[in-house]
Amino acid sequence: MSRFLTVISVADAAAAAEKIAPARKTESVPVEQSAGRVLASDIAADTDIPGFDRSVVDGYAVRSADTTGASDSVPALLTCIGRVTMGKHDTNLILGNAECVYIPTGGVLPSGADAAVMVEYTEEAGDTILVKKPVSHGENVLLRDEDFKKGETVFSMGRRLSPQDAGVLAACGCATVTVAKKPVVGIISTGNELVPATSVPGPGQVRDANAPMLAAWLSEYGCEPRLYGIVQDEREAFETVIARALPDCDLLLLSGGSSKDDRDMTAGVIAGKGMVLVHGVALAPGKPTIIGRIDTKPVFGLPGHPASALVVLKVIVSPLLDKMLGLDTPLLRTVKATLAENIPSQRGREEYVRVKVTNGIATPLFGKSGLLNTLVKSDGLVCIPAGYEGLEKGSEVEVILW
Ligand code: AMP
Ligand code: MG
């Protein structure tokens, strides 16, 4: 067997991953717990919002024509014929010529009125109200259905819900909402050199940074990560943990041992239990990436270098997660910046370079692979497409923020 990886393009790898995405599952959650979740059906307004014309100020409901030309020196004189009570619609309150009604913010505009005057521009003199500023038709009034019309689609399926969405959902009559179930993602770290964060590394040992990092990223992305600890580079132990994890997870991420060295077992273990679909991607960092399947479940082999593992997660695994979530737009925050330095790159592979962004200037943080510090000193990644031999200083780039 060749010791070299047969690489395929990032686009082909991402498409291969997407193809084996398990079907989306849905569940109902209370709207107050819906932020960050992905909507699984369209939502329409069940009533007009608001359901009536309402004042947006404390003041007087008026016929705007009665206030024409009103000023401090020559106020319009209107007769107050009553008060609007919040939460009630008094159908007997009908404005005639030169009449007004006291109205609080949010009160129902009485019939006959077409505007509201702020209380600040009025003066009370018994039943007579002096209006010192004219209002135009519709001024200070929110019209019935001005926010949303009954039957109108307010949110489309695939939207990642925000806290403000929860408020609007409630206004549309939704106490609960159907969202995509969080994909359950099992994470297994492999490597004889790995110890958990709770241990002091002995000679030759390093702490497992990948499992917590991958889990944290997945939680933020709307998945449910499950940690299965560290396994040694021993085939049997590895297979045992995979067999334990698989029934409880929608997909597995196996970190480390994904290349073709003698110690690298991930591909062999996946092939033994299922099938390796991809082994090697024209991606830097992240070339030794495996996409496979065991019992219909996607299983990824991620390179052990933390930066590589994270890039593979973002670039190759996330399109599959998007499909499982039914997400309409990937959760990708980007910012435009100007490159401070040339970035050389090898043609034929898609490269992701860590950059620090300050005042619109992106400075590449070059460093040896395997460094952790550039992961946290950088703000994000600049992608150099496979067809490029690099990017020149001064060019406009889109930084994918972490
Ligand atoms: P591997 O992909 O197993 O060949 O590992 C490549 C490099 O990543 C080695 O230096 C490993 O020690 C390191 N590495 C592997 N897994 C982890 C991990 N979970 N956390 C931190 N470093 C790791
Ligand atoms: Mg290893």
PDB file of all heavy atoms in Angstrom, residues 25-40 156-163 165 169 177-183 219-224 325-327:
ATOM      1  N   LYS A  25     -33.411  15.459  12.081  1.00  0.00           N
ATOM      2  CA  LYS A  25     -34.482  15.090  13.014  1.00  0.00           C
ATOM      3  C   LYS A  25     -34.980  16.384  13.654  1.00  0.00           C
ATOM      4  O   LYS A  25     -34.209  17.347  13.755  1.00  0.00           O
ATOM      5  CB  LYS A  25     -33.934  14.164  14.108  1.00  0.00           C
ATOM      6  CG  LYS A  25     -33.452  12.817  13.572  1.00  0.00           C
ATOM      7  CD  LYS A  25     -32.924  11.962  14.720  1.00  0.00           C
ATOM      8  CE  LYS A  25     -31.633  11.277  14.336  1.00  0.00           C
ATOM      9  NZ  LYS A  25     -30.874  10.762  15.458  1.00  0.00           N
ATOM     10  N   THR A  26     -36.237  16.395  14.042  1.00  0.00           N
ATOM     11  CA  THR A  26     -36.775  17.640  14.607  1.00  0.00           C
ATOM     12  C   THR A  26     -37.346  17.397  16.003  1.00  0.00           C
ATOM     13  O   THR A  26     -37.631  16.273  16.385  1.00  0.00           O
ATOM     14  CB  THR A  26     -37.882  18.230  13.709  1.00  0.00           C
ATOM     15  OG1 THR A  26     -38.944  17.289  13.634  1.00  0.00           O
ATOM     16  CG2 THR A  26     -37.365  18.530  12.317  1.00  0.00           C
ATOM     17  N   GLU A  27     -37.497  18.480  16.727  1.00  0.00           N
ATOM     18  CA  GLU A  27     -38.134  18.415  18.048  1.00  0.00           C
ATOM     19  C   GLU A  27     -38.769  19.763  18.347  1.00  0.00           C
ATOM     20  O   GLU A  27     -38.459  20.761  17.700  1.00  0.00           O
ATOM     21  CB  GLU A  27     -37.110  18.052  19.135  1.00  0.00           C
ATOM     22  CG  GLU A  27     -36.050  19.113  19.351  1.00  0.00           C
ATOM     23  CD  GLU A  27     -35.017  18.713  20.403  1.00  0.00           C
ATOM     24  OE1 GLU A  27     -35.271  17.752  21.149  1.00  0.00           O
ATOM     25  OE2 GLU A  27     -33.971  19.366  20.476  1.00  0.00           O
ATOM     26  N   SER A  28     -39.655  19.761  19.322  1.00  0.00           N
ATOM     27  CA  SER A  28     -40.317  20.993  19.702  1.00  0.00           C
ATOM     28  C   SER A  28     -39.662  21.535  20.966  1.00  0.00           C
ATOM     29  O   SER A  28     -39.384  20.779  21.887  1.00  0.00           O
ATOM     30  CB  SER A  28     -41.799  20.666  19.955  1.00  0.00           C
ATOM     31  OG  SER A  28     -42.458  21.808  20.383  1.00  0.00           O
ATOM     32  N   VAL A  29     -39.383  22.851  20.962  1.00  0.00           N
ATOM     33  CA  VAL A  29     -38.785  23.456  22.164  1.00  0.00           C
ATOM     34  C   VAL A  29     -39.579  24.718  22.531  1.00  0.00           C
ATOM     35  O   VAL A  29     -40.168  25.354  21.658  1.00  0.00           O
ATOM     36  CB  VAL A  29     -37.291  23.846  21.955  1.00  0.00           C
ATOM     37  CG1 VAL A  29     -36.428  22.620  21.724  1.00  0.00           C
ATOM     38  CG2 VAL A  29     -37.114  24.850  20.824  1.00  0.00           C
ATOM     39  N   PRO A  30     -39.581  25.073  23.818  1.00  0.00           N
ATOM     40  CA  PRO A  30     -40.226  26.333  24.206  1.00  0.00           C
ATOM     41  C   PRO A  30     -39.498  27.503  23.532  1.00  0.00           C
ATOM     42  O   PRO A  30     -38.270  27.449  23.409  1.00  0.00           O
ATOM     43  CB  PRO A  30     -40.045  26.382  25.726  1.00  0.00           C
ATOM     44  CG  PRO A  30     -39.672  25.004  26.146  1.00  0.00           C
ATOM     45  CD  PRO A  30     -38.999  24.357  24.971  1.00  0.00           C
ATOM     46  N   VAL A  31     -40.245  28.512  23.084  1.00  0.00           N
ATOM     47  CA  VAL A  31     -39.588  29.617  22.348  1.00  0.00           C
ATOM     48  C   VAL A  31     -38.472  30.271  23.150  1.00  0.00           C
ATOM     49  O   VAL A  31     -37.466  30.690  22.582  1.00  0.00           O
ATOM     50  CB  VAL A  31     -40.569  30.718  21.861  1.00  0.00           C
ATOM     51  CG1 VAL A  31     -41.321  30.283  20.663  1.00  0.00           C
ATOM     52  CG2 VAL A  31     -41.456  31.194  22.957  1.00  0.00           C
ATOM     53  N   GLU A  32     -38.636  30.315  24.464  1.00  0.00           N
ATOM     54  CA  GLU A  32     -37.595  30.977  25.267  1.00  0.00           C
ATOM     55  C   GLU A  32     -36.288  30.176  25.273  1.00  0.00           C
ATOM     56  O   GLU A  32     -35.260  30.666  25.696  1.00  0.00           O
ATOM     57  CB  GLU A  32     -38.078  31.252  26.708  1.00  0.00           C
ATOM     58  CG  GLU A  32     -38.405  30.027  27.530  1.00  0.00           C
ATOM     59  CD  GLU A  32     -39.848  29.564  27.376  1.00  0.00           C
ATOM     60  OE1 GLU A  32     -40.475  29.883  26.340  1.00  0.00           O
ATOM     61  OE2 GLU A  32     -40.352  28.874  28.279  1.00  0.00           O
ATOM     62  N   GLN A  33     -36.339  28.962  24.786  1.00  0.00           N
ATOM     63  CA  GLN A  33     -35.108  28.159  24.678  1.00  0.00           C
ATOM     64  C   GLN A  33     -34.693  27.964  23.223  1.00  0.00           C
ATOM     65  O   GLN A  33     -33.917  27.065  22.904  1.00  0.00           O
ATOM     66  CB  GLN A  33     -35.333  26.787  25.338  1.00  0.00           C
ATOM     67  CG  GLN A  33     -35.435  26.876  26.848  1.00  0.00           C
ATOM     68  CD  GLN A  33     -35.992  25.606  27.462  1.00  0.00           C
ATOM     69  OE1 GLN A  33     -35.888  24.527  26.896  1.00  0.00           O
ATOM     70  NE2 GLN A  33     -36.596  25.750  28.626  1.00  0.00           N
ATOM     71  N   SER A  34     -35.229  28.793  22.327  1.00  0.00           N
ATOM     72  CA  SER A  34     -35.023  28.525  20.898  1.00  0.00           C
ATOM     73  C   SER A  34     -33.823  29.249  20.288  1.00  0.00           C
ATOM     74  O   SER A  34     -33.417  28.925  19.173  1.00  0.00           O
ATOM     75  CB  SER A  34     -36.287  28.906  20.121  1.00  0.00           C
ATOM     76  OG  SER A  34     -36.482  30.307  20.189  1.00  0.00           O
ATOM     77  N   ALA A  35     -33.233  30.198  21.008  1.00  0.00           N
ATOM     78  CA  ALA A  35     -32.121  30.968  20.416  1.00  0.00           C
ATOM     79  C   ALA A  35     -30.969  30.025  20.057  1.00  0.00           C
ATOM     80  O   ALA A  35     -30.603  29.150  20.838  1.00  0.00           O
ATOM     81  CB  ALA A  35     -31.656  32.052  21.372  1.00  0.00           C
ATOM     82  N   GLY A  36     -30.440  30.190  18.865  1.00  0.00           N
ATOM     83  CA  GLY A  36     -29.326  29.356  18.404  1.00  0.00           C
ATOM     84  C   GLY A  36     -29.793  28.097  17.683  1.00  0.00           C
ATOM     85  O   GLY A  36     -28.998  27.446  17.018  1.00  0.00           O
ATOM     86  N   ARG A  37     -31.085  27.758  17.839  1.00  0.00           N
ATOM     87  CA  ARG A  37     -31.597  26.560  17.180  1.00  0.00           C
ATOM     88  C   ARG A  37     -32.018  26.896  15.752  1.00  0.00           C
ATOM     89  O   ARG A  37     -32.232  28.063  15.410  1.00  0.00           O
ATOM     90  CB  ARG A  37     -32.804  25.997  17.964  1.00  0.00           C
ATOM     91  CG  ARG A  37     -32.511  25.723  19.432  1.00  0.00           C
ATOM     92  CD  ARG A  37     -31.410  24.699  19.634  1.00  0.00           C
ATOM     93  NE  ARG A  37     -31.758  23.377  19.128  1.00  0.00           N
ATOM     94  CZ  ARG A  37     -32.376  22.433  19.833  1.00  0.00           C
ATOM     95  NH1 ARG A  37     -32.714  22.667  21.088  1.00  0.00           N
ATOM     96  NH2 ARG A  37     -32.622  21.245  19.297  1.00  0.00           N
ATOM     97  N   VAL A  38     -32.160  25.863  14.919  1.00  0.00           N
ATOM     98  CA  VAL A  38     -32.491  26.089  13.509  1.00  0.00           C
ATOM     99  C   VAL A  38     -33.948  25.699  13.261  1.00  0.00           C
ATOM    100  O   VAL A  38     -34.359  24.570  13.542  1.00  0.00           O
ATOM    101  CB  VAL A  38     -31.551  25.290  12.586  1.00  0.00           C
ATOM    102  CG1 VAL A  38     -31.897  25.551  11.130  1.00  0.00           C
ATOM    103  CG2 VAL A  38     -30.097  25.671  12.854  1.00  0.00           C
ATOM    104  N   LEU A  39     -34.691  26.658  12.760  1.00  0.00           N
ATOM    105  CA  LEU A  39     -36.127  26.493  12.537  1.00  0.00           C
ATOM    106  C   LEU A  39     -36.402  25.384  11.506  1.00  0.00           C
ATOM    107  O   LEU A  39     -35.783  25.337  10.450  1.00  0.00           O
ATOM    108  CB  LEU A  39     -36.662  27.828  12.025  1.00  0.00           C
ATOM    109  CG  LEU A  39     -38.145  28.082  12.092  1.00  0.00           C
ATOM    110  CD1 LEU A  39     -38.659  27.973  13.517  1.00  0.00           C
ATOM    111  CD2 LEU A  39     -38.429  29.484  11.556  1.00  0.00           C
ATOM    112  N   ALA A  40     -37.349  24.499  11.854  1.00  0.00           N
ATOM    113  CA  ALA A  40     -37.617  23.345  10.976  1.00  0.00           C
ATOM    114  C   ALA A  40     -38.891  23.505  10.154  1.00  0.00           C
ATOM    115  O   ALA A  40     -39.249  22.609   9.381  1.00  0.00           O
ATOM    116  CB  ALA A  40     -37.680  22.076  11.809  1.00  0.00           C
ATOM    117  N   SER A 156     -38.630  31.822   7.731  1.00  0.00           N
ATOM    118  CA  SER A 156     -38.566  30.651   6.850  1.00  0.00           C
ATOM    119  C   SER A 156     -37.732  29.562   7.507  1.00  0.00           C
ATOM    120  O   SER A 156     -36.793  29.848   8.269  1.00  0.00           O
ATOM    121  CB  SER A 156     -37.946  31.025   5.511  1.00  0.00           C
ATOM    122  OG  SER A 156     -38.780  31.950   4.868  1.00  0.00           O
ATOM    123  N   MET A 157     -38.091  28.344   7.167  1.00  0.00           N
ATOM    124  CA  MET A 157     -37.367  27.164   7.630  1.00  0.00           C
ATOM    125  C   MET A 157     -35.866  27.331   7.345  1.00  0.00           C
ATOM    126  O   MET A 157     -35.506  27.862   6.306  1.00  0.00           O
ATOM    127  CB  MET A 157     -37.918  25.996   6.815  1.00  0.00           C
ATOM    128  CG  MET A 157     -37.453  24.667   7.195  1.00  0.00           C
ATOM    129  SD  MET A 157     -38.470  23.464   6.335  1.00  0.00           S
ATOM    130  CE  MET A 157     -37.630  23.367   4.780  1.00  0.00           C
ATOM    131  N   GLY A 158     -35.028  26.876   8.253  1.00  0.00           N
ATOM    132  CA  GLY A 158     -33.583  26.948   8.017  1.00  0.00           C
ATOM    133  C   GLY A 158     -32.927  28.136   8.680  1.00  0.00           C
ATOM    134  O   GLY A 158     -31.708  28.260   8.657  1.00  0.00           O
ATOM    135  N   ARG A 159     -33.736  28.996   9.295  1.00  0.00           N
ATOM    136  CA  ARG A 159     -33.173  30.175   9.945  1.00  0.00           C
ATOM    137  C   ARG A 159     -32.609  29.803  11.314  1.00  0.00           C
ATOM    138  O   ARG A 159     -33.239  29.071  12.068  1.00  0.00           O
ATOM    139  CB  ARG A 159     -34.293  31.210  10.123  1.00  0.00           C
ATOM    140  CG  ARG A 159     -33.872  32.484  10.838  1.00  0.00           C
ATOM    141  CD  ARG A 159     -35.100  33.358  11.034  1.00  0.00           C
ATOM    142  NE  ARG A 159     -34.824  34.561  11.788  1.00  0.00           N
ATOM    143  CZ  ARG A 159     -34.481  35.724  11.251  1.00  0.00           C
ATOM    144  NH1 ARG A 159     -34.381  35.831   9.962  1.00  0.00           N
ATOM    145  NH2 ARG A 159     -34.247  36.783  12.002  1.00  0.00           N
ATOM    146  N   ARG A 160     -31.443  30.329  11.620  1.00  0.00           N
ATOM    147  CA  ARG A 160     -30.920  30.138  12.977  1.00  0.00           C
ATOM    148  C   ARG A 160     -31.545  31.211  13.840  1.00  0.00           C
ATOM    149  O   ARG A 160     -31.395  32.402  13.557  1.00  0.00           O
ATOM    150  CB  ARG A 160     -29.395  30.241  12.990  1.00  0.00           C
ATOM    151  CG  ARG A 160     -28.780  29.730  14.283  1.00  0.00           C
ATOM    152  CD  ARG A 160     -27.297  29.905  14.298  1.00  0.00           C
ATOM    153  NE  ARG A 160     -26.581  28.891  13.560  1.00  0.00           N
ATOM    154  CZ  ARG A 160     -26.218  27.705  14.058  1.00  0.00           C
ATOM    155  NH1 ARG A 160     -26.539  27.370  15.282  1.00  0.00           N
ATOM    156  NH2 ARG A 160     -25.544  26.862  13.323  1.00  0.00           N
ATOM    157  N   LEU A 161     -32.275  30.807  14.862  1.00  0.00           N
ATOM    158  CA  LEU A 161     -33.094  31.752  15.627  1.00  0.00           C
ATOM    159  C   LEU A 161     -32.252  32.585  16.594  1.00  0.00           C
ATOM    160  O   LEU A 161     -31.307  32.081  17.203  1.00  0.00           O
ATOM    161  CB  LEU A 161     -34.188  31.002  16.392  1.00  0.00           C
ATOM    162  CG  LEU A 161     -35.218  30.296  15.506  1.00  0.00           C
ATOM    163  CD1 LEU A 161     -36.090  29.348  16.331  1.00  0.00           C
ATOM    164  CD2 LEU A 161     -36.084  31.310  14.760  1.00  0.00           C
ATOM    165  N   SER A 162     -32.640  33.850  16.719  1.00  0.00           N
ATOM    166  CA  SER A 162     -31.941  34.781  17.610  1.00  0.00           C
ATOM    167  C   SER A 162     -32.852  35.066  18.810  1.00  0.00           C
ATOM    168  O   SER A 162     -34.032  34.712  18.792  1.00  0.00           O
ATOM    169  CB  SER A 162     -31.671  36.081  16.852  1.00  0.00           C
ATOM    170  OG  SER A 162     -32.908  36.709  16.558  1.00  0.00           O
ATOM    171  N   PRO A 163     -32.330  35.726  19.838  1.00  0.00           N
ATOM    172  CA  PRO A 163     -33.199  36.074  20.972  1.00  0.00           C
ATOM    173  C   PRO A 163     -34.386  36.933  20.538  1.00  0.00           C
ATOM    174  O   PRO A 163     -35.507  36.727  21.016  1.00  0.00           O
ATOM    175  CB  PRO A 163     -32.267  36.853  21.896  1.00  0.00           C
ATOM    176  CG  PRO A 163     -30.900  36.346  21.568  1.00  0.00           C
ATOM    177  CD  PRO A 163     -30.923  36.052  20.084  1.00  0.00           C
ATOM    178  N   ASP A 165     -35.852  36.835  17.724  1.00  0.00           N
ATOM    179  CA  ASP A 165     -36.791  35.940  17.030  1.00  0.00           C
ATOM    180  C   ASP A 165     -37.752  35.298  18.030  1.00  0.00           C
ATOM    181  O   ASP A 165     -38.939  35.104  17.734  1.00  0.00           O
ATOM    182  CB  ASP A 165     -36.049  34.824  16.287  1.00  0.00           C
ATOM    183  CG  ASP A 165     -35.267  35.342  15.084  1.00  0.00           C
ATOM    184  OD1 ASP A 165     -35.440  36.518  14.723  1.00  0.00           O
ATOM    185  OD2 ASP A 165     -34.486  34.564  14.501  1.00  0.00           O
ATOM    186  N   LEU A 169     -41.668  35.284  17.658  1.00  0.00           N
ATOM    187  CA  LEU A 169     -42.402  34.007  17.615  1.00  0.00           C
ATOM    188  C   LEU A 169     -43.551  34.030  18.618  1.00  0.00           C
ATOM    189  O   LEU A 169     -44.678  33.629  18.301  1.00  0.00           O
ATOM    190  CB  LEU A 169     -41.465  32.836  17.930  1.00  0.00           C
ATOM    191  CG  LEU A 169     -40.535  32.406  16.791  1.00  0.00           C
ATOM    192  CD1 LEU A 169     -39.413  31.512  17.318  1.00  0.00           C
ATOM    193  CD2 LEU A 169     -41.313  31.678  15.696  1.00  0.00           C
ATOM    194  N   VAL A 177     -41.760  25.871  19.372  1.00  0.00           N
ATOM    195  CA  VAL A 177     -41.374  25.963  17.967  1.00  0.00           C
ATOM    196  C   VAL A 177     -40.629  24.673  17.577  1.00  0.00           C
ATOM    197  O   VAL A 177     -39.928  24.087  18.399  1.00  0.00           O
ATOM    198  CB  VAL A 177     -40.533  27.252  17.750  1.00  0.00           C
ATOM    199  CG1 VAL A 177     -39.193  27.180  18.445  1.00  0.00           C
ATOM    200  CG2 VAL A 177     -40.367  27.595  16.301  1.00  0.00           C
ATOM    201  N   THR A 178     -40.845  24.256  16.332  1.00  0.00           N
ATOM    202  CA  THR A 178     -40.175  23.032  15.871  1.00  0.00           C
ATOM    203  C   THR A 178     -38.827  23.386  15.271  1.00  0.00           C
ATOM    204  O   THR A 178     -38.742  24.205  14.354  1.00  0.00           O
ATOM    205  CB  THR A 178     -41.045  22.306  14.823  1.00  0.00           C
ATOM    206  OG1 THR A 178     -42.335  22.132  15.387  1.00  0.00           O
ATOM    207  CG2 THR A 178     -40.467  20.949  14.468  1.00  0.00           C
ATOM    208  N   VAL A 179     -37.795  22.759  15.828  1.00  0.00           N
ATOM    209  CA  VAL A 179     -36.422  23.043  15.387  1.00  0.00           C
ATOM    210  C   VAL A 179     -35.710  21.725  15.071  1.00  0.00           C
ATOM    211  O   VAL A 179     -36.196  20.647  15.442  1.00  0.00           O
ATOM    212  CB  VAL A 179     -35.626  23.792  16.490  1.00  0.00           C
ATOM    213  CG1 VAL A 179     -36.217  25.165  16.764  1.00  0.00           C
ATOM    214  CG2 VAL A 179     -35.552  22.982  17.786  1.00  0.00           C
ATOM    215  N   ALA A 180     -34.566  21.848  14.405  1.00  0.00           N
ATOM    216  CA  ALA A 180     -33.751  20.654  14.140  1.00  0.00           C
ATOM    217  C   ALA A 180     -33.185  20.152  15.461  1.00  0.00           C
ATOM    218  O   ALA A 180     -32.781  20.953  16.312  1.00  0.00           O
ATOM    219  CB  ALA A 180     -32.619  21.006  13.191  1.00  0.00           C
ATOM    220  N   LYS A 181     -33.189  18.845  15.616  1.00  0.00           N
ATOM    221  CA  LYS A 181     -32.552  18.255  16.800  1.00  0.00           C
ATOM    222  C   LYS A 181     -31.064  18.507  16.719  1.00  0.00           C
ATOM    223  O   LYS A 181     -30.497  18.530  15.617  1.00  0.00           O
ATOM    224  CB  LYS A 181     -32.797  16.744  16.799  1.00  0.00           C
ATOM    225  CG  LYS A 181     -33.805  16.313  17.815  1.00  0.00           C
ATOM    226  CD  LYS A 181     -33.792  14.816  17.992  1.00  0.00           C
ATOM    227  CE  LYS A 181     -34.654  14.488  19.169  1.00  0.00           C
ATOM    228  NZ  LYS A 181     -35.035  13.093  19.207  1.00  0.00           N
ATOM    229  N   LYS A 182     -30.428  18.703  17.848  1.00  0.00           N
ATOM    230  CA  LYS A 182     -28.978  18.914  17.832  1.00  0.00           C
ATOM    231  C   LYS A 182     -28.287  17.620  17.417  1.00  0.00           C
ATOM    232  O   LYS A 182     -28.491  16.594  18.076  1.00  0.00           O
ATOM    233  CB  LYS A 182     -28.491  19.304  19.232  1.00  0.00           C
ATOM    234  CG  LYS A 182     -28.990  20.648  19.706  1.00  0.00           C
ATOM    235  CD  LYS A 182     -28.381  20.982  21.053  1.00  0.00           C
ATOM    236  CE  LYS A 182     -28.812  22.385  21.464  1.00  0.00           C
ATOM    237  NZ  LYS A 182     -28.074  22.879  22.610  1.00  0.00           N
ATOM    238  N   PRO A 183     -27.476  17.661  16.369  1.00  0.00           N
ATOM    239  CA  PRO A 183     -26.721  16.453  16.027  1.00  0.00           C
ATOM    240  C   PRO A 183     -25.815  16.048  17.198  1.00  0.00           C
ATOM    241  O   PRO A 183     -25.134  16.897  17.776  1.00  0.00           O
ATOM    242  CB  PRO A 183     -25.884  16.883  14.816  1.00  0.00           C
ATOM    243  CG  PRO A 183     -26.580  18.082  14.262  1.00  0.00           C
ATOM    244  CD  PRO A 183     -27.224  18.762  15.429  1.00  0.00           C
ATOM    245  N   SER A 219     -20.671  22.769  20.334  1.00  0.00           N
ATOM    246  CA  SER A 219     -21.753  23.308  21.182  1.00  0.00           C
ATOM    247  C   SER A 219     -22.209  24.643  20.632  1.00  0.00           C
ATOM    248  O   SER A 219     -23.399  24.905  20.500  1.00  0.00           O
ATOM    249  CB  SER A 219     -21.275  23.549  22.615  1.00  0.00           C
ATOM    250  OG  SER A 219     -21.013  22.338  23.226  1.00  0.00           O
ATOM    251  N   GLU A 220     -21.226  25.485  20.309  1.00  0.00           N
ATOM    252  CA  GLU A 220     -21.556  26.808  19.796  1.00  0.00           C
ATOM    253  C   GLU A 220     -22.283  26.705  18.459  1.00  0.00           C
ATOM    254  O   GLU A 220     -23.120  27.538  18.139  1.00  0.00           O
ATOM    255  CB  GLU A 220     -20.260  27.618  19.643  1.00  0.00           C
ATOM    256  CG  GLU A 220     -20.464  29.099  19.712  1.00  0.00           C
ATOM    257  CD  GLU A 220     -19.157  29.836  19.558  1.00  0.00           C
ATOM    258  OE1 GLU A 220     -18.639  29.957  18.426  1.00  0.00           O
ATOM    259  OE2 GLU A 220     -18.630  30.293  20.578  1.00  0.00           O
ATOM    260  N   TYR A 221     -21.985  25.682  17.712  1.00  0.00           N
ATOM    261  CA  TYR A 221     -22.572  25.533  16.370  1.00  0.00           C
ATOM    262  C   TYR A 221     -23.988  24.947  16.429  1.00  0.00           C
ATOM    263  O   TYR A 221     -24.676  24.878  15.430  1.00  0.00           O
ATOM    264  CB  TYR A 221     -21.670  24.648  15.501  1.00  0.00           C
ATOM    265  CG  TYR A 221     -21.804  24.946  14.027  1.00  0.00           C
ATOM    266  CD1 TYR A 221     -21.193  26.067  13.479  1.00  0.00           C
ATOM    267  CD2 TYR A 221     -22.546  24.132  13.179  1.00  0.00           C
ATOM    268  CE1 TYR A 221     -21.318  26.368  12.144  1.00  0.00           C
ATOM    269  CE2 TYR A 221     -22.672  24.433  11.827  1.00  0.00           C
ATOM    270  CZ  TYR A 221     -22.054  25.549  11.314  1.00  0.00           C
ATOM    271  OH  TYR A 221     -22.190  25.848   9.982  1.00  0.00           O
ATOM    272  N   GLY A 222     -24.394  24.487  17.608  1.00  0.00           N
ATOM    273  CA  GLY A 222     -25.751  23.949  17.743  1.00  0.00           C
ATOM    274  C   GLY A 222     -25.791  22.434  17.750  1.00  0.00           C
ATOM    275  O   GLY A 222     -26.817  21.831  17.413  1.00  0.00           O
ATOM    276  N   CYS A 223     -24.674  21.806  18.121  1.00  0.00           N
ATOM    277  CA  CYS A 223     -24.622  20.341  18.210  1.00  0.00           C
ATOM    278  C   CYS A 223     -24.508  19.938  19.675  1.00  0.00           C
ATOM    279  O   CYS A 223     -24.281  20.770  20.548  1.00  0.00           O
ATOM    280  CB  CYS A 223     -23.413  19.795  17.456  1.00  0.00           C
ATOM    281  SG  CYS A 223     -23.374  20.255  15.737  1.00  0.00           S
ATOM    282  N   GLU A 224     -24.653  18.642  19.906  1.00  0.00           N
ATOM    283  CA  GLU A 224     -24.456  18.122  21.258  1.00  0.00           C
ATOM    284  C   GLU A 224     -23.220  17.226  21.252  1.00  0.00           C
ATOM    285  O   GLU A 224     -23.275  16.088  20.785  1.00  0.00           O
ATOM    286  CB  GLU A 224     -25.694  17.311  21.649  1.00  0.00           C
ATOM    287  CG  GLU A 224     -25.711  16.965  23.115  1.00  0.00           C
ATOM    288  CD  GLU A 224     -26.878  16.060  23.461  1.00  0.00           C
ATOM    289  OE1 GLU A 224     -28.004  16.319  23.010  1.00  0.00           O
ATOM    290  OE2 GLU A 224     -26.620  15.065  24.157  1.00  0.00           O
ATOM    291  N   LEU A 325     -28.735  20.057  10.171  1.00  0.00           N
ATOM    292  CA  LEU A 325     -29.511  21.085  10.883  1.00  0.00           C
ATOM    293  C   LEU A 325     -30.555  21.725   9.977  1.00  0.00           C
ATOM    294  O   LEU A 325     -31.454  22.417  10.447  1.00  0.00           O
ATOM    295  CB  LEU A 325     -28.565  22.179  11.406  1.00  0.00           C
ATOM    296  CG  LEU A 325     -27.651  21.793  12.569  1.00  0.00           C
ATOM    297  CD1 LEU A 325     -26.524  22.804  12.726  1.00  0.00           C
ATOM    298  CD2 LEU A 325     -28.450  21.705  13.858  1.00  0.00           C
ATOM    299  N   GLY A 326     -30.411  21.529   8.665  1.00  0.00           N
ATOM    300  CA  GLY A 326     -31.313  22.190   7.717  1.00  0.00           C
ATOM    301  C   GLY A 326     -31.062  23.688   7.664  1.00  0.00           C
ATOM    302  O   GLY A 326     -31.954  24.482   7.385  1.00  0.00           O
ATOM    303  N   LEU A 327     -29.816  24.066   7.951  1.00  0.00           N
ATOM    304  CA  LEU A 327     -29.446  25.486   8.037  1.00  0.00           C
ATOM    305  C   LEU A 327     -29.418  26.130   6.655  1.00  0.00           C
ATOM    306  O   LEU A 327     -28.843  25.571   5.730  1.00  0.00           O
ATOM    307  CB  LEU A 327     -28.045  25.552   8.658  1.00  0.00           C
ATOM    308  CG  LEU A 327     -27.556  26.858   9.225  1.00  0.00           C
ATOM    309  CD1 LEU A 327     -28.445  27.312  10.372  1.00  0.00           C
ATOM    310  CD2 LEU A 327     -26.130  26.680   9.740  1.00  0.00           C
TER     311      LEU A 327
END
